[in-house]
Amino acid sequence: MVNRSVEPAIHEAVDLDIQLKPYIGFTLDNGVEVYTIDAGAEEVVMVEWVFYAGNWYEEKNIVAATVNHLLKNGTKTKPAFAINEHFEFYGAYLNRSCYNETATLTLHSLSKHLPHLLPVMAELLTESTMPENELAIYKQNQKQRLSVNLKKGDFVANRFIDEYLYGKNHPYGKYTSAADYDALAQEELLAYYHKYYTNGKAMLFVAGKLPADIQQQLNKAFGQLPLNASTLADIQYQPQPSAEKQYAITNDSNGVQASIRIARPFPNRHHPDFTKAQVLNNIFGGYFGSRLMSNIREDKGYTYGIHSYLQNHIHNSAWLISTEAGRDVSAATIAEIYKEMQVLCDELVDEDELRLVRNYMMGSILGDLDGPFQIIARWKNYILNGLTGDYFYKALHTIRTVSAEELQQLATKYFNKDDFYQLTVV
């Protein structure tokens, strides 16, 4: 029996032995790779298709996102209402998302209902029709949403900072207009769908309390689909960053708030500086106790929140600082951001602050591994970025051991004011 009169020992997160549960992988009859995590106490499961069908592969703007959205809006045998009603009848949730390189179709349901749901998922991948009426509704809704968002400074700032970093014709830097939606045609959507979904390259991620016959169920539903038969085109884009570095845009002449974005190009996860930079980023502006928060929110009161982060792109990345501040203090906010960069270049981080950040990062990783869905999400991130499980343990080692001197060297290397793009939108 536990002696509750004795206080339990307190262990810091940095000292814990954190393990990443390995996935179990297998291949369907058609060559589709499946990654599974069998864990959890509840009889729930997630089945996620990941297709190489993001806007990286589109020849015309917004086609990839539109096809992904219309996947479940009608097939040759079922209208959109019947599809939604089917999944709702079984208490399941079917979602889809489109990113830069990839697009997903994700099912959450009770494990026992998979035999009724997987065949309909397969139908969406081979029989979707992208109906004209659904496309018309999508266009109307998206244009209305865009019209509203364009009045928001933070939305405009996010669009332009990516353009400055990568170029307007790069998949990471381009953005949409009402004319792009008007130009969409059903036949080009169907062509993209057949090429990148029905006959595309895909992989499958499955997690939860899995049925004993999960491999047989997946193979029965998906093993005969015409996927992964052709080689994925090796499409390359070179960033074309803007020549100018500083921008000020007036989006609302009566606005009282300024959206501030400060960003610079940065290597992707394969670069040896990446994990060390994540530690430096957390000290700088990556969590609520960071220096940017302490200075600009807590001390100066210029903003409700300010954050810095490394973009999680596959090919190219960037280091970005984002905040909304009062219009009258926007210049002072920017000055304080650069001031905190310079302090990290000039002075060593003290051991107490570094240990606090180490514990924060290790605790965040523990939280990110709380459950099978979170574990498979981390594996998916590694697999899509061409990384292995060794990356996880090397990252833990770096977080535990990176020195103040190494962080100062990184700050000197990357916190050069002249390398940053600066944007203010009011």
Side-chain angles (χ1 to χ4, degrees), residues 68-86:
N68 181 259
H69 178 86
L70 294 178
L71 276 179
K72 66 171 191 172
N73 285 41
T75 68
K76 293 178 181 179
T77 61
K78 297 180 181 67
F81 179 82
I83 294 170
N84 290 322
E85 190 175 54
H86 180 82

Side-chain angles (χ1 to χ4, degrees), residues 100 146 149-168 170-176 249 251 258-263 307 309 311 313 318 320-324 421-426:
N100 291 119
L146 178 63
N149 285 333
L150 286 174
K151 298 175 183 178
K152 302 175 182 177
D154 59 340
F155 180 82
V156 173
N158 289 337
R159 284 158 66 96
F160 280 114
I161 196 64
D162 285 339
E163 178 190 343
Y164 302 151
L165 285 167
Y166 302 109
K168 192 173 182 179
H170 191 283
Y172 297 167
K174 64 183 179 181
Y175 48 83
T176 58
I249 296 174
N251 194 57
S259 296
I260 299 169
R261 302 293 183 270
I262 297 175
H307 306 278
Y309 57 93
Q311 289 182 332
H313 291 327
L320 195 146
I321 301 100
S322 171
T323 189
E324 275 66 49
Y421 289 85
Q422 178 184 306
L423 168 65
T424 304
V425 179
V426 295

Side-chain angles (χ1 to χ4, degrees), residues 59-60 63-64 66-67 70 128-133 135-136 139 181-198:
E59 297 179 4
K60 184 176 177 181
V63 167
T66 304
V67 170
L70 294 178
S128 288
T129 56
M130 313 280 146
E132 284 280 13
N133 63 320
L135 175 58
K139 289 181 179 182
Y181 291 110
D182 289 333
L184 291 170
Q186 184 189 41
E187 58 270 17
E188 62 193 0
L189 301 181
L190 288 171
Y192 192 89
Y193 164 72
H194 289 303
K195 182 175 182 179
Y196 291 105
Y197 286 91
T198 305

